[in-house]
Each structure stands twice: as structure tokens, then as C-alpha cells.
Amino acid sequence: MGAVAVLLTAMLVAACGHGGVAPRQKSVPDRTGPADAGVVRTALGLVRGQVAADYRLFQGIPYAAPPVGPLRWQPPRPPAAWHGMRDGSKPGPQCMQESRGRKATGEDCLTLNVWTPPLKAHAEKHPVMVWIHGGGFVNGSGDIYNSRWLVSQGHIVVVTINYRLGTLGFLAHPSLGAGDHVGNYGLADQQAALRWVRDNIADFGGDPTRVTIAGESAGAMSVCDHLVAPGSVGLFRAAIMQSGPCQAQADLATEQRTSLDYAASVGCTDPGTAAQCLRTLPATKLARPPWYMRIGDSDSLSGPATGTAILPVDPVAAIAAGRAAKVPVLIGTNQDEFTMFTALRYLRLGRTMTAAEYPRVLTDIFGPDGRAVVSHYPPERYVGDVSLAYSAAVTDGVFACVAYRMAEALRRGSPVYAYEFDDRGAPAPDPLRRAPFPVGASHSLELRYLFGVGGAPPLSPAQRQLSGQMIDYWTQFVTTGVPKAAGQPGWPSLGGDPAHTPYMSLRPDGSRVVSNFAESHQCPFWASLKGKR
């Protein structure tokens, strides 16, 4: 999500060295035999990556043409072939964003990275996980997710992707297309990347018939969209959603109004010439994103518009109506999702939320239900700490119970495996540790247990053990559609009985199946509200 995306992106970028050295080229392979494990022949040309003892890595591979010039705010077009050997030893630029990281950004950014297990002759094709990065649809990139653990321990192929962000990815100005064919360019990029995986991943040792889409935060919101988007049908066989507030997506009319105001703010005021005006602006003038959704005064999002040609329906409504793809789903949230955003609010303002502000902020978020939420989450229940009460209310109302309702709806047609990440001592980046309250198992902190990212204290031995268990669960789900971990508790699906709601509680003192997720997050209360958040 927006504000946290900047901090999280900087945290991940700080520790994403991949290691591994590409060997000296000796011969050019063909598709019949791997003469050189560091070289892959794709339909568009040869690419040389890095080879280490327990993985191979090919970076910066184009999956679409550069969306520049007349292709700005157009659907992604196929990439051009290249001559000679393409250098896949380093990632491509991040897509344009307001980032505090040190990486290059630019419009020519539609590339992906492929992590594979070591090449073995006559080996079976590996299942594939396509990871869609988070960042509020305004920050982030695929290369900051070091996937070595997933590949070496789980024996899967991992593809991490870039997609257009912010203004260049989601501006929905009416002049940019006819009718509902505006906006959602970043979502279309993700679909193009999935088509690239379908057509090319076998060359890297992946099985195009066993593709799982996965993501966290905005990445999980994207997965929600692909579950209901017509253009995504058939491009994956399973889905993973981590901490995705999938309801926080605006409709086309809202995004068009905001986009008109945005265009005017950058000097393109005439609707008749706005498209030409916008396309001639330097990309740097468009780095500030349009904000379509806000969660109180803590965070904002850009992102996909519902009611468009690419995303005709609201994903949460479509899932509730049973109109989502019938695929196995792994879905979950973190115990203390919103404490990170509350901590960022504290760092921005230099003070905690006051008791007088509390009702107003909750009303901003929950509208007419705000008063009921204040009564149900009194600070007295949280040792008198307004920040903790605020965090608990938004964790439950925006994250936990939305995911719970989606899981309940999805299980009517497919196997669903639900989890809660509940390591209250999960390492957090330094700025968050300065907040005067514990952030606990907050938004995004589970990522360090799956990917080799840093920016925080190292995992303890017990946390490293939990990391290994989570990698087993995740990669077995990618492989078989069922999460399993050797020597760990069996993970039952939600099944068809509404009274039976087993959740896997992921904890360093021993993961376990629990049945009180809905009660502990006050989901019956949220279901009783008029807004039914």
C-alpha cells in the first residue's frame, strides 16, 4: 500500500544481492540439450544468466515491448527478438515510481526474472510460481524478491515481474481510450507476463501447465483481480494471496474523475487534447501517482479500476457470487496487519493518535459504521493505547475479515487453505522499531520468511525454522495444490462445512491448526455492519 510501500521498497532494495557468478561461455545450446547451464534459448533469442550451486537466475528478460512514446497508456505489445547473446545477469530498471531506493527507474521496464533449480539432464519440468510484487501499485519491483530459498529448498521455478505503476500503469483519463478501455495498464502487463510464462517457461525448466500466481498486499489484490478477469482465464492453475485488501479498488467513474483532476494538475486541462498532452510529458513529471482509494489518514492506493474491459467486475463481489476461477487457493493475513501503517503515521507526525482523533479517523475509514467500530474497539481493551485499538480495528475490518469472507466464498467451489502469520516478534525494519508500541506480526513482515530480503535484524533459530516450514508449505502448494511440510502439522482445507474453519497459525514456537480466527478478529461483528466490510 502507498505509504508503507516506500519504506518496504527501501528495506528490500537494501538487501537484494543475489550472489552467483555467470560462467564463461563455451558453447551455445539448443533446446535439445543443455550444453551450458547459464544459457537458455528462448523464442526471441539467447539469454545468459547466473549459475550457482543451488540455483540459476536469468534477469531483465523483456516480456513486452517498451511502453514508451505512442505506446504509453496502451495495452502491452509483444517484445521484439534480439540478436546475439542477451545479458541476463542483472535486472532491468524498475518501473517509474516515487521511490527512495537506489535503483534505476524508467518507462522501459516490462521485464521479468526467472529463478530455476540447477539444470539436470532429462529432469522433469518444475512447477512455477509467478510472484506479483506489492507496493500499493506505486512502488516496488520484481528483483527485490530473492527467491533462492524457494527454488533450492522447494524445487520450483519462481518468476518475479515488473509491471507499470502509478500514473503510467493506472491513469484512467477518458481521453486515453474509448469507453471502458482505459486504465489498468499495469494489470494488462501482468497478464502479458503470464502469457510469456505460458509460452516460454519450458525453456527454463518450468512446467507451463503448473503455474501458480502469488502476491502480497497490492500483489495479492492483483491475484484477486486475475481470479475474475476474463483475460486471465487459463493462465494459472492455483493462487496465493497474502495480506490483500481486495475490496480497496475504485470503480471506473471514480478513477476517471481523479484522472481528470490529475491531468489538469500537470497542465493537460483540455479533454480534447489531453491524451496528446500527457504522452508528450517527460515521465519524471508523472512520477507522482493519482490516489484512488484512502484508508483514513494512514495510507492511500492507486491501482486497478473495476467496471472496465480488463476488470469488468469488483473482485470481492464476484468471489462472493461464486464467479471466480475454480482453482486451489492459499489465502491469509498477518495477526497485526495495520500496526505498520500506524507506526508510519507516528513517524510522519511525530506523535501517537489522540483519543479525540480516534472517532474521526475511524469514521473516515468506515463511514456510518465508524461509531459502532469505536464502541467495539475501545482503547481500554488495548491497555488504554489508542494506537493499538486503531490498529486492531483496521486490521480486522480491512484485512482479516475481508480475507475470511473471501475464503468462505471461494471454498464453495475449490479447495481453500487459510493461514495467519502470527510471529509477534517478527524482525521489523529500524524505523518501525522506534514506534512507542509493538508492531508485532505486521503487514509485509512474513516476506522475510519466504524470500531472501533484509533491512531488519536477522531471524532467530526458531524463526529460521518457521521460515523453512513456510517455504515447504508454499512450495508444496505450488507443486501439488496442497500445502504440506515434512514433520509439521497437516494443513486441512476449509472444506464445505461452514462450522469448520481450520486456519494454520504460523508461529516460531510451533505452527498449529486453530479454529478461532473469525472470533479473534471480531468477524461476526464486522458481518453485522451495514457496510459488511
Side-chain angles (χ1 to χ4, degrees):
M1 297 170 73
V4 74
V6 176
L7 174 65
L8 178 59
T9 299
M11 178 185 85
L12 296 177
V13 167
C16 61
H18 299 308
V21 177
R24 185 185 301 273
Q25 181 182 353
K26 296 182 180 179
S27 60
V28 176
D30 58 30
R31 296 190 180 195
T32 62
D36 186 332
V39 175
V40 168
R41 182 187 298 276
T42 74
L44 298 177
L46 294 165
V47 59
R48 171 176 287 284
Q50 296 177 334
V51 178
D54 54 352
Y55 70 91
R56 297 185 299 157
L57 173 58
F58 303 86
Q59 301 180 88
I61 303 171
Y63 67 82
V68 300
L71 296 186
R72 183 187 279 180
W73 296 303
Q74 294 286 354
R77 306 294 171 83
W82 60 84
H83 299 287
M85 184 73 67
R86 185 180 183 90
D87 180 13
S89 66
K90 56 182 181 297
Q94 295 179 333
C95 291
M96 286 296 300
Q97 57 192 269
E98 284 190 314
S99 174
R100 296 176 187 174
R102 299 186 300 271
K103 290 181 174 289
T105 62
E107 286 191 85
D108 183 1
C109 63
L110 299 186
T111 62
L112 50 77
N113 313 294
V114 182
W115 295 78
T116 82
L119 187 63
K120 296 180 180 179
H122 311 298
E124 292 185 1
K125 299 295 184 184
H126 298 282
V128 181
M129 184 177 84
V130 178
W131 180 258
I132 305 171
H133 71 77
F137 298 106
V138 297
N139 286 103
S141 62
D143 64 284
I144 60 181
Y145 297 89
N146 185 314
S147 304
R148 180 175 187 170
W149 300 340
L150 291 161
V151 166
S152 61
Q153 181 177 321
H155 308 291
I156 64 172
V157 170
V158 177
V159 180
T160 66
I161 67 174
N162 291 349
Y163 55 94
R164 280 175 282 182
L165 301 167
T167 308
L168 295 169
F170 298 99
L171 192 71
H173 196 287
S175 71
L176 296 176
D180 59 1
H181 289 267
V182 296
N184 291 352
Y185 309 103
L187 195 63
D189 294 342
Q190 296 173 14
Q191 292 175 333
L194 289 170
R195 291 192 295 271
W196 184 96
V197 169
R198 178 194 62 196
D199 297 339
N200 294 276
I201 204 63
D203 296 327
F204 295 83
D207 184 347
T209 69
R210 293 192 289 167
V211 174
T212 296
I213 55 172
E216 183 267 345
S217 194
M221 295 168 71
S222 300
V223 173
C224 284
D225 295 342
H226 292 303
L227 286 171
V228 302
S232 304
V233 173
L235 295 177
F236 57 92
R237 69 156 195 171
I240 299 174
M241 290 179 280
Q242 300 173 212
S243 303
C246 295
Q247 79 286 2
Q249 302 188 66
D251 58 35
L252 178 58
T254 298
E255 295 207 2
Q256 286 184 321
R257 287 194 300 270
T258 302
S259 295
L260 285 164
D261 292 341
Y262 183 93
S265 74
V266 294
C268 299
T269 57
D270 183 352
T273 61
Q276 179 182 0
C277 176
L278 287 163
R279 288 194 170 101
T280 58
L281 291 175
T284 52
K285 194 167 183 179
L286 301 166
R288 176 180 61 85
W291 299 116
Y292 298 133
M293 296 288 287
R294 296 187 182 275
I295 300 178
D297 60 358
S298 294
D299 204 54
S300 304
L301 300 95
S302 191
T306 63
T308 58
I310 290 179
L311 188 60
V313 296
D314 173 83
V316 175
I319 288 170
R323 291 186 283 130
K326 301 299 189 288
V327 298
V329 171
L330 192 154
I331 182 172
T333 56
N334 294 355
Q335 166 66 34
D336 307 299
E337 289 280 2
F338 207 70
T339 51
M340 174 173 282
F341 302 94
T342 308
L344 290 172
R345 183 186 191 275
Y346 165 78
L347 294 173
R348 184 179 76 250
L349 300 178
R351 60 176 178 79
T352 58
M353 183 180 294
T354 67
E357 291 174 305
Y358 185 49
R360 175 188 60 77
V361 174
L362 286 187
T363 299
D364 286 345
I365 299 173
F366 300 114
D369 294 324
R371 182 175 297 180
V373 176
V374 172
S375 297
H376 200 77
Y377 291 83
E380 293 74 24
R381 186 191 296 177
Y382 301 90
V383 297
D385 192 318
V386 175
S387 295
L388 292 179
Y390 171 55
S391 298
V394 187
T395 290
D396 295 351
V398 173
F399 289 93
C401 296
V402 172
Y404 175 79
R405 287 203 317 276
M406 287 196 299
E408 291 293 293
L410 288 165
R411 75 175 181 173
R412 295 197 295 265
S414 305
V416 174
Y417 300 88
Y419 76 87
E420 179 172 60
F421 176 75
D422 192 14
D423 181 2
R424 309 293 178 87
D430 176 68
L432 300 184
R433 298 198 302 275
R434 287 186 247 134
F437 50 84
V439 296
S442 189
H443 191 72
S444 81
L445 296 189
E446 88 285 6
L447 292 174
R448 294 196 68 242
Y449 294 68
L450 297 170
F451 297 96
V453 298
L459 300 178
S460 70
Q463 290 168 333
R464 289 198 300 271
Q465 186 174 5
L466 174 59
S467 169
Q469 295 164 9
M470 290 173 62
I471 290 168
D472 282 347
Y473 280 131
W474 261 242
T475 56
Q476 278 299 301
F477 178 79
V478 171
T479 301
T480 67
V482 178
K484 294 181 179 179
Q488 297 305 308
W491 189 334
S493 68
L494 293 185
D497 180 5
H500 186 53
T501 56
Y503 270 61
M504 180 60 71
S505 177
L506 299 166
R507 301 173 52 163
D509 62 346
S511 297
R512 65 207 69 177
V513 177
V514 299
S515 59
N516 65 340
F517 177 88
E519 290 73 22
S520 65
H521 287 286
Q522 314 298 315
C523 293
F525 162 76
W526 292 99
S528 73
L529 299 178
K530 292 180 181 179
K532 294 192 182 296
R533 293 176 177 270

